[in-house]
Amino acid sequence: MAPIIELNEVRRNFVVRARAGRLRRTKRVVHAVDGITAAVAAGEACGYIGANGAGKSTTIKMLTGILVPSGGSVRTCGFDPVPERRALARHIGVVFGQRSQLWWDLPLGESFRVLAAIHRIPPGVAGTRIDQLVEGLDLAPFLDTPVRQLSLGERMRGEVAAALVHRPKLLVLDEPTIGLDMISKERLRQFLVAERRSEGTTLLLTTHDMSDIERLCDRVLVVDQGRLVYDGTLPGLAQRVAMQRVLVVDLLAEHPPLQIEGAEHIGSELNGVRQRLSFSPEENTAARVLAAVSSQVEVRDLTLEEPAIEDIVRTLYSRQ
């Protein structure tokens, strides 16, 4: 079976012009995507991550036919995205965290029906599918609410439903959980896992939230300065980068800096009520560090801080 996504030495350049004096302008070429080769199989869930400006959104725009590559070739769901963009639209769904495909003044439910009509889905089939999406994403309470009156979390769940009305082969999510609270994020993740299991949908996800990648993706592609620097699993990425994780513990009372084997105390706040302990995921686990802390003091609350994607990419790229 042919891959859902095929990138072969894909490049995309932009010319940036700047003023140099009163009468002269200079220009330089920016290589937003610089020779990426990768393939994503049908049914796969793939995270596409990197620092801001790494080339993620540019790649997605080429995959969906919005931008023409400067070089190389792109095929999405078997189509050449730009000349066959209309045919491709029947097979993909796209959610951009900062852009809407819903009608601002229409009730949410009406937007779904309009999209079903655009995709020429028979009314009976469309009704069943919309009901399924409404139930899975808990959209029933605000189907009659105009989109402009929805909260960000409600609208983002509506955007995901809108992208899935026509049962696309490929769902592209660009920062789908940006600005969502913890409950909304978890509800959306659970739905996407169930949708992929039942429909066999291929998922391409870009995000700065590593929890999204952990919960949803089997594979990770890391891009930096337009080049692919890693292709593999998330545990493999963590092992390759071997960056420190940080366990933040809130204690019931003030306490001197904790001394824990296999972890390093890196800071205290509130006279030692809150303490931060860093550890290497290759040598220790959060569970063992927490158990060691609990054997010394009583813990009221805790959080686990993952390295920022920018730091992961920077470390990974510096080792190439």
Side-chain angles (χ1 to χ4, degrees):
M1 182 182 295
I4 290 291
I5 294 172
E6 295 179 84
L7 303 170
N8 184 24
E9 287 295 322
V10 176
R11 297 184 300 280
R12 174 66 197 194
N13 304 327
F14 294 97
V15 176
V16 178
R17 292 178 171 83
R19 187 182 298 276
R22 296 179 60 186
L23 301 175
R24 190 165 62 89
R25 287 180 175 271
T26 62
K27 66 179 182 179
R28 62 187 178 90
V29 177
V30 175
H31 304 288
V33 175
D34 191 11
I36 290 180
T37 297
V40 178
E44 195 170 11
C46 185
Y48 191 51
I49 64 176
N52 291 328
K56 305 184 301 296
S57 293
T58 300
T59 306
I60 288 175
K61 288 175 182 177
M62 290 189 287
L63 287 172
T64 55
I66 298 172
L67 287 177
V68 180
S70 302
S73 63
V74 178
R75 292 196 72 81
T76 308
C77 299
F79 297 96
D80 188 343
V82 175
E84 299 178 286
R85 187 175 176 185
R86 179 172 293 183
L88 175 61
R90 299 180 183 276
H91 299 275
I92 64 172
V94 183
V95 176
F96 290 104
Q98 302 291 351
R99 297 181 183 179
S100 179
Q101 61 190 312
L102 301 170
W103 280 263
W104 204 238
D105 293 315
L106 287 182
L108 182 61
E110 190 64 29
S111 287
F112 295 156
R113 288 187 283 274
V114 170
L115 286 165
I118 289 173
H119 286 288
R120 300 179 182 177
I121 304 173
V125 176
T128 300
R129 177 59 170 166
I130 290 170
D131 289 344
Q132 179 187 16
L133 294 170
V134 167
E135 181 180 358
L137 287 163
D138 193 21
L139 298 172
F142 37 88
L143 280 179
D144 296 327
T145 304
V147 171
R148 57 183 165 78
Q149 295 179 7
L150 298 176
S151 70
L152 178 59
E154 292 165 350
R155 183 175 67 81
M156 287 309 302
R157 278 148 51 203
E159 296 282 357
V160 172
L164 291 169
V165 164
H166 58 300
R167 286 190 167 90
K169 294 179 182 177
L170 170 65
L171 178 62
V172 180
L173 300 173
D174 188 8
E175 300 286 0
T177 63
I178 188 169
L180 301 191
D181 58 50
M182 294 297 293
I183 295 175
S184 297
K185 282 185 179 184
E186 186 57 27
R187 182 181 289 131
L188 180 55
R189 290 167 185 159
Q190 289 175 357
F191 170 79
L192 290 171
V193 169
E195 177 73 10
R196 182 179 164 224
R197 186 185 304 119
S198 63
E199 299 290 332
T201 309
T202 305
L203 178 65
L204 182 66
L205 170 68
T206 75
T207 181
H208 281 77
D209 190 331
M210 290 301 289
S211 296
D212 288 345
I213 300 294
E214 285 183 320
R215 288 294 306 277
L216 297 173
C217 299
D218 310 315
R219 176 182 168 204
V220 179
L221 301 175
V222 181
V223 63
D224 187 45
Q225 298 181 13
R227 285 174 280 182
L228 191 64
V229 295
Y230 178 79
D231 180 353
T233 65
L234 190 59
L237 174 61
Q239 184 175 10
R240 183 168 174 179
V241 175
M243 294 187 69
Q244 297 287 100
R245 304 173 82 188
V246 177
L247 181 68
V248 183
V249 291
D250 289 345
L251 310 179
L252 286 179
E254 298 176 5
H255 196 278
L258 292 165
Q259 302 300 318
I260 303 296
E261 185 178 354
E264 179 184 358
H265 178 271
I266 59 173
S268 294
E269 301 172 31
L270 306 172
N271 294 322
V273 172
R274 172 170 294 173
Q275 302 203 24
R276 302 165 67 85
L277 302 163
S278 71
F279 63 95
S280 169
E282 285 189 315
E283 301 171 358
N284 212 340
T285 67
R288 285 202 292 266
V289 174
L290 178 60
V293 171
S294 299
S295 69
Q296 296 184 23
V297 291
E298 192 168 353
V299 176
R300 180 171 58 85
D301 200 2
L302 65 95
T303 56
L304 185 63
E305 296 181 354
E306 301 287 352
I309 286 182
E310 284 82 358
D311 294 334
I312 292 174
V313 172
R314 190 181 303 112
T315 302
L316 179 64
Y317 191 72
S318 67
R319 297 178 183 179
Q320 299 302 306

